[in-house]
Amino acid sequence: MVVHSQSAALDHCSLIKTCKPTTSVFKGIPVVDLRDPEAKNLIVKACEEYGFFKLVNHGVPMEFFTRLEAEALKFFNLPQSDKDKAGLPDPFGYGFKKIGSNGDVGWVEYLLLNTNPQITSLKSLTVFRETPEIFRSAVNDYIQAVKRMTFEVVELLADGLKIEPRDALSRLLRDEKSDSCFRLNHYPPCPELQALGGRNLIGFGEHTDPQIISVLRSNNTSGLQICLRDKTWVSVPPDQTSFFINVGDALQVMTNGRLRSVRHRVLAESMRSRVSMIYFGGPPLSEKIAPLASLMAKGEESLYEEFTWWEYKTSAYKSRLGDYRLGLFEKK
Ligand code: GA4
């Protein structure tokens, strides 16, 4: 996404929403140290209060981040015509401004990849010409390490919530048919933002993630915001060494609303480019998504109609980004 002139850039921006700048950098993001003996309780508390937390001491080597970030930038810095050869994200490939298939747009370009099986056949890799292997191994190493760490996190969460068996969540992510995906986002700087009267350009509009859990790592740029329970938007201070973890819609249902998926969005920066990498851990398509029996109090009823992940995903992919997608599945 190379910006040629101010007017061209503003043309580009014209469909993309802006919002008032939010000044509040939130100091209260819960931080969980994966090696803390109390981690399981802290994860539960963070997920209950915010549906979101920062994970430190996670054991994934920084080298995996920097290698993948460099590879991602190599791709995003290719000429637009080369990137376009990578194939549209239907569902996996390269996307430029368009998000989903229902008219949502953002100041973002991205690669969307399947995590099962390993990244082997993605058409977009051919644009790397002589270096597809380097990209492939950077993605695979990163995903493998992040998955392993995520399994541990959801097992701690299950422990903390006293879910039985302990692998009730992690087995869904470990399953070779798990419908998980991976996204590399690039939010180019938008210097012309100043011309928009100090407003912020929406990089990725507000939404919740449909899956069980999402694990994000970004470079040191700000932009990520979460919506607190009182509906205020707050900025998450960036930390390129840590992960940010989101509760997704499926986990909300599996905990019968005890944990809530967090609404979040990304604002573009005017001077620096943001790169983020997100693993979305989802269950197999055929899996029934319903409250886990061990979490239900005596006589408690599910807040949701029963559905499979395939049904939910199909419905989600027909929705607009900002929709409250679980609404369709709530019991009346
Ligand atoms: C949000 C979480 C993931 O990025 C994603 C997104 C997907 C897409 O970009 O194609 C969706 C969005 C996400 C939710 C609603 C639908 C589908 C765009 C959109 C408008 C890959 C996912 O699984 O759902």
Side-chain angles (χ1 to χ4, degrees), residues 105-280:
V105 285
W107 187 251
V108 65
E109 58 179 340
Y110 56 89
L111 274 172
L112 208 47
L113 315 169
N114 192 350
T115 63
N116 275 344
Q118 292 208 317
I119 319 301
T120 45
S121 60
L122 190 76
K123 189 175 162 212
S124 38
L125 297 188
T126 55
V127 302
F128 283 87
R129 300 200 180 100
E130 67 279 11
T131 59
E133 278 318 316
I134 300 178
F135 179 78
R136 203 196 316 268
S137 79
V139 172
N140 280 336
D141 290 352
Y142 179 88
I143 292 181
Q144 218 186 4
V146 170
K147 271 186 179 173
R148 206 177 304 131
M149 178 212 76
T150 309
F151 302 157
E152 193 180 341
V153 170
V154 295
E155 277 167 17
L156 285 168
L157 173 66
D159 253 357
L161 286 170
K162 303 197 170 55
I163 292 174
E164 277 170 9
R166 186 177 189 260
D167 71 349
L169 297 170
S170 64
R171 72 169 179 88
L172 302 173
L173 309 182
R174 284 181 200 273
D175 194 304
E176 58 174 24
K177 294 213 179 86
S178 116
D179 181 40
S180 298
C181 58
F182 183 65
R183 166 166 219 141
L184 284 165
N185 284 329
H186 178 222
Y187 301 91
C190 186
E192 294 74 13
L193 270 179
Q194 264 95 15
L196 297 172
R199 288 180 72 84
N200 279 121
L201 198 59
I202 304 280
F204 207 111
E206 63 172 277
H207 65 286
T208 59
D209 294 341
Q211 292 82 0
I212 296 175
I213 196 162
S214 318
V215 180
L216 173 143
R217 184 266 161 188
S218 77
N219 65 353
N220 237 358
T221 50
S222 58
L224 178 62
Q225 300 194 323
I226 60 166
C227 188
L228 303 180
R229 284 207 164 171
D230 66 4
K231 303 273 179 275
T232 52
W233 284 95
V234 292
S235 296
V236 177
D239 180 349
Q240 61 184 346
T241 63
S242 305
F243 289 106
F244 290 97
I245 301 199
N246 285 356
V247 170
D249 297 340
L251 188 52
Q252 176 168 330
V253 174
M254 296 172 87
T255 58
N256 206 25
R258 180 161 163 194
L259 308 184
R260 311 288 304 265
S261 55
V262 61
R263 280 185 97 70
H264 55 288
R265 66 182 181 192
V266 177
L267 307 184
E269 270 204 18
S270 59
M271 301 315 280
R272 285 185 310 161
S273 108
R274 174 177 166 92
V275 179
S276 61
M277 35 194 86
I278 310 134
Y279 161 67
F280 301 93

Side-chain angles (χ1 to χ4, degrees), residues 39-97:
K40 62 179 185 181
N41 299 323
L42 296 172
I43 293 174
V44 171
K45 189 162 182 274
C47 289
E48 284 179 339
E49 283 178 21
Y50 297 96
F52 186 84
F53 62 94
K54 168 166 141 172
L55 188 72
V56 301
N57 228 338
H58 45 69
V60 178
M62 187 69 186
E63 185 227 322
F64 285 24
F65 301 169
T66 45
R67 192 153 61 99
L68 182 54
E69 191 175 315
E71 283 303 306
L73 280 171
K74 245 193 243 169
F75 174 81
F76 291 123
N77 289 332
L78 289 171
Q80 190 64 49
S81 55
D82 279 3
K83 290 184 280 189
D84 290 340
K85 287 183 204 135
L88 292 171
D90 56 355
F92 303 114
Y94 169 72
F96 168 57
K97 289 195 288 192

